[in-house]
Amino acid sequence: MPATERSLDLARTAAAAADEKLATTIAGIDVSEQLALTDAFVIVSASSDRQVGAIVDEVEDQLRLKGAKPIRREGERDGRWVLLDFGDIVVHVQH
């Protein structure tokens, strides 16, 4: 089953939020046919630990405006890689 329109909209919003905070690389992958857990991955890279934090905050803020709340947030302590699980999409932000 292909990704839902909601999932695609959330993925585009997450990508735009990362771009707003000057992410160095942004990629979206539809994993709905391979994984039952989520529809899409958004993979983002940043040039510093501080930028990772800024991107994570902006992604969360923008997705909350769309009614999406993170189910899980991992990796924030080190600041080198953060996973945000919104159910419909999973956002990976890494240095």
Side-chain angles (χ1 to χ4, degrees), residues 32-73:
S32 59
E33 305 262 339
Q34 291 81 22
L35 299 174
L37 301 173
T38 192
D39 283 346
F41 284 164
V42 177
I43 303 169
V44 178
S45 63
S47 59
S48 70
D49 296 352
R50 185 177 212 158
Q51 189 178 19
V52 167
I55 292 168
V56 166
D57 290 344
E58 185 68 14
V59 167
E60 277 193 323
D61 290 347
Q62 293 304 312
L63 291 182
R64 279 187 194 187
L65 292 174
K66 296 232 173 217
K69 296 179 197 171
I71 297 168
R72 186 174 58 217
R73 187 177 187 166

Side-chain angles (χ1 to χ4, degrees), residues 16-29:
D19 186 52
E20 180 71 27
K21 292 301 177 180
L22 306 176
T24 54
T25 305
I26 304 167
I29 304 170

Side-chain angles (χ1 to χ4, degrees), residues 43-44 49 52 56 74-84 90-95:
I43 303 169
V44 178
D49 296 352
V52 167
V56 166
E74 295 181 17
E76 188 173 28
R77 188 174 315 155
D78 296 330
R80 299 204 44 90
W81 167 78
V82 178
L83 176 140
L84 298 170
V90 175
V91 180
H92 301 267
V93 183
Q94 51 203 342
H95 176 202

